[in-house]
Amino acid sequence: MLLMENSITYHVSNLVNNIFYELTNLETNTSSIIKINCEKLSRNGELSFLINRQVWKDYVPNGSDNNLTSNNILDYYVKNKNAIENCSTFDEIVQKAFNLIELKSHEWSLQINSFSLQKERLCLFLNRPQALSLAIKNALNNGLSYGQKALVDESFTFKIQIDNEAELSNQRLNFLKDFFQRILQLQGYKIITEKNHNNYILTTKSEGIVEENYKKIVCGVVKNSENNSKEKSITWNSYLSSKKEQLKKLNAHKYQNKDNGEDDDENIKQIATTAVKFEFLSVKPSRSVVLKKFDTSDDTLKEAAFILYNTARIKAILNKYEEKVLAGKYPKLLNVDNIDFLCLSQEEEWELVFNYILQYPEMIQGCVKHKPTLEACPQYICSFLSKLCQHFSIYYRRSRVLVDGYSHLMPTVMARIYLLQSILIVLENSLSIFGITPMSKM
């Protein structure tokens, strides 16, 4: 029984379903005909689909009895809407179809603004100012709960079957157990310790009997790269220590001839721990993790540091803005309802909003399913964080967020401050699923 209504709206997937229904009159979109684009959005549009009738043949009637015989889905759609009058050419049919979709989109949470036809693919472009405002306000209004669904009356219980042979494999089981629990809590499920209808035990053993009424989730072990067998000799503390030493070598210029304080030591430990979590969780749970040789480049260490650094950098920018407000150099930040999001006109800004802020709840939704079997995909979050920070880093190098002495630029500065606040919410919420607390400075 549903305890309260789900407050999360998956805007992009809903838009896809709305367009599919508008074209076909079918409620459920189980196809992948309508594509959600993630790059070159100014050219390809945010959504696109092939109009060829053959692509849509399973979703529309052949028209033999109702005079709807058509060469493409747009022709079919316009005829089905009884809007074919004054459409004597292909271009006129395409324009009429778009006009109908664009008008209908005013009833949806995301609105269509324009289109282009590239060969046989119709590319649809969103109303960016409306989508920017929607995405940023959603993130800001929900804050730490952004991406979290309302509670449902269903519970899960998790245990691990300890791997006494291998400490690192056992540590991975603990990481995965924590992930399963957090991601299901985000989906509105309760995590309890008593047995119920959904009892799972995480184990590295595919054979053997587990506790009664528990279902087994077999997870891959941590393997040694030399012989591709389960690593049994390296302990958790020694592995973490090796990561910390590698980090110091990577940052030799920072730590050379310097008496590190407690803050530096704690930062090193946190980056190293984050790196191992990424290493163990960036691989599908059912697959094994193969440790890299210590003398090779450690990409996960660099990736973890990069993600934590960008999170700290955004915090620093936001803090600097507040300092300038207190010093009287900047005006106080306007209420978000008074922000002109047309100022976020750069393509990198739109890609950050569309790909990461707007679709963050949908990414979280895709990280777990429990019917017919329970599956979780922590690797999706690893990839999401990595791509988000890469895109943000490119944007930050090209665009100054804080500028002095130009009052006419303040609307842009404020819009970018809200953009950064939204990105920070997504970053911190994503990291919290792995049990990672971002650092305030690095």
Side-chain angles (χ1 to χ4, degrees):
M1 183 182 74
L2 192 65
L3 296 181
M4 59 183 291
E5 187 178 354
N6 175 9
S7 59
I8 293 295
T9 301
Y10 302 112
H11 297 284
V12 178
S13 59
N14 282 357
L15 178 61
V16 171
N17 291 335
N18 285 334
I19 294 172
F20 187 86
Y21 177 77
E22 179 68 11
L23 294 173
T24 66
N25 284 323
L26 296 176
E27 290 284 354
T28 304
N29 174 18
T30 57
S31 75
S32 57
I33 293 178
I34 301 176
K35 178 184 177 184
I36 300 172
N37 299 317
C38 61
E39 57 184 13
K40 299 179 180 178
L41 301 179
S42 62
R43 186 187 72 184
N44 299 329
E46 288 74 37
L47 303 176
S48 61
F49 58 86
L50 290 170
I51 66 172
N52 186 286
R53 180 61 184 267
Q54 186 64 22
V55 175
W56 294 84
K57 63 182 178 61
D58 294 333
Y59 307 102
V60 296
N62 58 27
S64 58
D65 298 326
N66 56 12
N67 199 31
L68 292 179
T69 304
S70 309
N71 294 321
N72 60 73
I73 185 63
L74 300 182
D75 189 23
Y76 166 82
Y77 170 59
V78 171
K79 289 178 179 177
N80 200 36
K81 290 290 185 179
N82 295 318
I84 195 65
E85 187 179 357
N86 298 324
C87 295
S88 57
T89 68
F90 172 70
D91 289 343
E92 289 173 343
I93 290 172
V94 173
Q95 184 65 55
K96 173 62 73 172
F98 168 75
N99 290 344
L100 291 169
I101 294 172
E102 186 271 336
L103 182 63
K104 186 67 177 179
S105 76
H106 290 195
E107 303 174 11
W108 306 335
S109 63
L110 291 175
Q111 298 171 11
I112 306 296
N113 183 62
S114 60
F115 80 98
S116 69
L117 189 65
Q118 300 177 16
K119 295 183 179 180
E120 290 193 333
R121 182 174 293 278
L122 186 71
C123 303
L124 297 176
F125 300 82
L126 295 184
N127 179 334
R128 289 191 178 184
Q130 181 259 342
L132 284 164
S133 177
L134 174 72
I136 291 174
K137 287 179 181 179
N138 275 352
L140 294 173
N141 290 337
N142 287 280
L144 294 176
S145 63
Y146 186 50
Q148 184 171 347
K149 294 175 69 174
L151 288 175
V152 295
D153 190 15
E154 190 169 357
S155 303
F156 285 81
T157 298
F158 289 93
K159 289 184 177 182
I160 65 168
Q161 187 178 47
I162 296 174
D163 190 328
N164 294 314
E165 294 181 320
E167 196 169 322
L168 291 185
S169 293
N170 200 52
Q171 186 64 56
R172 188 184 189 222
L173 288 177
N174 278 296
F175 287 160
L176 287 170
K177 173 176 172 279
D178 290 344
F179 176 78
F180 270 98
Q181 293 181 159
R182 290 192 184 100
I183 199 69
L184 284 167
Q185 284 177 318
L186 282 176
Q187 296 305 312
Y189 300 104
K190 298 175 185 176
I191 303 299
I192 60 176
T193 56
E194 301 84 10
K195 284 185 182 180
N196 62 91
H197 296 298
N198 300 307
N199 306 305
Y200 292 91
I201 187 162
L202 281 71
T203 177
T204 58
K205 304 181 188 304
S206 57
E207 299 178 355
I209 300 173
V210 297
E211 189 175 336
E212 187 179 0
N213 295 326
Y214 274 82
K215 297 176 184 177
K216 183 186 293 188
I217 299 177
V218 180
C219 304
V221 299
V222 177
K223 289 185 174 182
N224 185 297
S225 59
E226 297 290 340
N227 52 26
N228 199 38
S229 62
K230 182 162 64 172
E231 174 56 60
K232 299 179 181 180
S233 61
I234 301 176
T235 66
W236 166 249
N237 285 334
S238 64
Y239 192 64
L240 188 62
S241 294
S242 71
K243 292 289 183 182
K244 290 161 67 175
E245 290 304 314
Q246 285 177 291
L247 185 62
K248 289 181 179 180
K249 289 180 181 179
L250 285 172
N251 294 275
H253 66 284
K254 180 177 180 180
Y255 300 109
Q256 190 175 21
N257 299 323
K258 179 182 177 183
D259 182 18
N260 298 335
E262 290 184 7
D263 288 345
D264 279 336
D265 289 339
E266 190 58 35
N267 281 357
I268 292 171
K269 181 180 179 181
Q270 185 166 353
I271 296 171
T273 304
T274 300
V276 180
K277 285 189 176 182
F278 270 74
E279 184 177 13
F280 287 6
L281 296 174
S282 62
V283 178
K284 188 177 180 180
S286 61
R287 296 178 180 172
S288 298
V289 173
V290 180
L291 300 179
K292 290 186 177 181
K293 297 179 181 179
F294 287 131
D295 58 351
T296 59
S297 177
D298 193 335
D299 293 334
T300 56
L301 196 60
K302 295 176 182 177
E303 195 72 29
F306 183 64
I307 291 168
L308 292 175
Y309 171 73
N310 276 282
T311 307
R313 177 161 59 181
I314 292 175
K315 285 187 177 182
I317 296 170
L318 296 176
N319 288 338
K320 188 174 181 180
Y321 180 86
E322 290 300 321
E323 290 171 3
K324 287 181 176 289
V325 171
L326 292 174
K329 295 180 179 179
Y330 276 174
K332 186 177 179 180
L333 192 64
L334 295 177
N335 185 282
V336 68
D337 291 328
N338 298 320
I339 297 298
D340 181 8
F341 288 107
L342 277 171
C343 296
L344 300 178
S345 57
Q346 295 190 24
E347 196 63 18
E348 290 95 341
E349 292 168 331
W350 172 239
E351 289 184 357
L352 284 167
V353 171
F354 180 74
N355 290 328
Y356 304 105
I357 300 174
L358 189 61
Q359 296 188 66
Y360 170 73
E362 305 190 39
M363 184 275 294
I364 296 300
Q365 168 77 4
C367 282
V368 65
K369 65 176 184 178
H370 72 280
K371 295 178 181 179
T373 59
L374 179 62
E375 294 181 33
C377 302
Q379 68 273 19
Y380 290 174
I381 296 178
C382 295
S383 176
F384 178 88
L385 282 168
S386 177
K387 291 177 181 177
L388 169 53
C389 287
Q390 288 173 16
H391 277 84
F392 175 75
S393 185
I394 292 171
Y395 166 67
Y396 182 77
R397 288 199 302 267
R398 294 178 180 174
S399 307
R400 289 190 62 189
V401 177
L402 304 180
V403 291
D404 292 326
Y406 301 98
S407 59
H408 67 285
L409 294 178
M410 287 312 301
T412 300
V413 171
M414 291 188 181
R416 287 177 174 174
I417 289 297
Y418 277 118
L419 170 64
L420 264 59
Q421 288 181 357
S422 302
I423 294 172
L424 184 62
I425 288 170
V426 169
L427 282 169
E428 292 186 334
N429 288 4
S430 298
L431 289 169
S432 70
I433 301 172
F434 287 168
I436 298 169
T437 303
M439 295 178 290
S440 58
K441 62 179 182 178
M442 289 184 68

